[in-house]
Amino acid sequence: MAVWKCQSCGAIVEGRCKPGKCKSCNAPRESLEKQPVEKKDKK
Ligand SMILES: [Zn+2]
């Protein structure tokens, strides 16, 4: 699972692969920036 943040509206989109567009504002995929996912529950 990866997380992308829309640079246009700030929405967080989760998915296994990069979404085609923002689900919230329909911004193109170029507006989605991959976010680092922190897993604190795993050592
Ligand atoms: Zn958006």
Side-chain angles (χ1 to χ4, degrees), residues 1-41:
M1 188 71 80
V3 177
W4 286 269
K5 184 178 182 181
C6 177
Q7 301 300 299
S8 182
C9 72
I12 299 296
V13 183
E14 293 185 356
R16 290 184 179 179
C17 57
K18 193 173 186 178
K21 63 181 179 181
C22 175
K23 294 178 182 178
S24 183
C25 70
N26 287 329
R29 61 190 301 169
E30 286 77 19
S31 298
L32 300 174
E33 186 171 275
K34 191 172 185 180
Q35 301 292 299
V37 179
E38 296 181 20
K39 292 185 178 181
K40 297 179 181 178
D41 60 335

